[in-house]
Amino acid sequence: MAPVDLTSLGHQTLFRAPHYPWPKFDAVDDRVRGGVSTSNFTIRKEPHSHTIGVFSGHLDIMALKDVGFASQSTVFNNTKPLSLPRLCYSGLLLTILRPSDEVSVTTTPITTKKPSKPKSFVLTLKSSPPVTRPDGTRVAGISYEYAFTLGDFDGKEKQIQMEWDGFTATYRGRSDKKFAKLDPNKLYELSFMCRSNFGEQAGDFELKILELAALKNKYDKRQSRGCFDRAKQLVTRRYEAGWYRRDQGVRLV
């Protein structure tokens, strides 16, 4: 994917501590299926650096035979969902920091291969309100996933551009092209996940998140109209102030 020119396109910060506070996250780990993976989402001040959101925990692949997962999820109010319409925004921009080296790896006795330390993560969005059964369990629904890795850092920070059409529609972890594309006009849930990818990764993990922003759509007609209106106001003010000559027209200097 070609890099986005943030100078011309721009972005709107959604969450960045401390001035754009992160919402409360709750664990949705494989313990709901009998696993033992754990996760947390905390706010932390890095020494001599930024205040960041940290998604961390331990990914286990022993209890569920290579299919462990750990995730943290936040649910937005049904009456006030997160609204990022395609007309105005083209996707998300996730800024992460270089991970710490102090992570351990657990080798599973179920297989002879040694899993790598977790570097692959998923950001998930849901465009329909969550439905809960009488016993408190969640009814499965369609999720939209964007997978990314911690590799290829050029310095201390890395920006990951997530175009709306790059999100994959899934149901119970399986993708299907028959599902409609993501409609970001009303988003009811946001989550970060670390999963084993069938035994490929396991152990302690940490994702340091500096900022989550919405990429502004360069084709936003309302944004273009706003630019035109501002230019028109500038010309009008200078005309009224006397910046007009019969032989030269409006002089914008």
Side-chain angles (χ1 to χ4, degrees):
M1 180 186 300
V4 174
D5 182 0
L6 296 179
T7 302
S8 61
L9 186 57
H11 64 281
Q12 172 63 53
T13 299
L14 300 176
F15 307 114
R16 177 170 179 159
H19 302 298
Y20 297 85
W22 286 92
K24 180 180 180 298
F25 282 80
D26 295 302
V28 185
D29 303 324
D30 59 20
R31 288 175 290 175
V32 298
R33 300 181 183 177
V36 295
S37 297
T38 59
S39 68
N40 296 280
F41 191 94
T42 57
I43 304 301
R44 187 171 77 200
K45 178 68 171 68
E46 293 286 271
H48 311 292
S49 186
H50 307 282
T51 299
I52 60 175
V54 182
F55 170 48
S56 61
H58 183 83
L59 181 62
D60 176 79
I61 57 173
M62 299 172 63
L64 297 179
K65 299 182 179 180
D66 289 358
V67 291
F69 67 89
S71 69
Q72 286 283 316
S73 173
T74 185
V75 177
F76 303 108
N77 192 307
N78 283 2
T79 60
K80 293 182 179 180
L82 180 62
S83 181
L84 301 173
R86 285 176 178 258
L87 177 65
C88 303
Y89 303 98
S90 62
L92 298 178
L93 180 68
L94 180 68
T95 304
I96 60 177
L97 301 184
R98 184 183 293 276
S100 304
D101 295 329
E102 297 80 12
V103 291
S104 62
V105 177
T106 302
T107 304
T108 171
I110 300 174
T111 177
T112 57
K113 66 180 181 181
K114 182 178 180 179
S116 63
K117 63 182 180 181
K119 292 184 178 181
S120 176
F121 294 86
V122 177
L123 186 150
T124 302
L125 299 173
K126 292 187 178 181
S127 57
S128 58
V131 179
T132 305
R133 299 186 181 90
D135 62 0
T137 59
R138 292 275 298 272
V139 176
I142 299 175
S143 300
Y144 294 87
E145 300 182 350
Y146 195 102
F148 61 95
T149 65
L150 299 185
D152 302 324
F153 270 84
D154 184 14
K156 295 182 179 180
E157 300 179 7
K158 175 181 178 180
Q159 290 186 318
I160 303 168
Q161 303 156 21
M162 303 177 175
E163 301 290 336
W164 296 136
D165 289 343
F167 282 80
T168 301
T170 65
Y171 180 76
R172 294 186 180 274
R174 296 180 180 275
S175 61
D176 195 325
K177 294 183 179 180
K178 71 179 182 181
F179 296 134
K181 291 184 178 180
L182 171 63
D183 179 6
N185 190 54
K186 292 183 179 180
L187 299 173
Y188 294 90
E189 190 170 352
L190 162 72
S191 64
F192 293 97
M193 176 185 287
C194 182
R195 57 190 177 199
S196 65
N197 295 330
F198 300 102
E200 291 184 359
Q201 58 180 18
D204 295 340
F205 64 86
E206 183 180 68
L207 176 64
K208 298 180 178 180
I209 308 169
L210 177 61
E211 179 184 53
L212 180 63
L215 285 170
K216 291 184 179 179
N217 193 337
K218 61 182 178 180
Y219 301 112
D220 183 355
K221 295 181 180 179
R222 290 182 296 178
Q223 182 176 329
S224 299
R225 179 65 185 179
C227 294
F228 173 78
D229 289 342
R230 287 192 294 273
K232 182 179 178 181
Q233 292 171 3
L234 176 62
V235 171
T236 301
R237 286 197 301 268
R238 291 188 173 182
Y239 176 85
E240 294 174 346
W243 287 95
Y244 181 80
R245 293 182 178 179
R246 183 181 299 275
D247 58 337
Q248 295 182 6
V250 178
R251 185 175 58 171
L252 297 178
V253 294

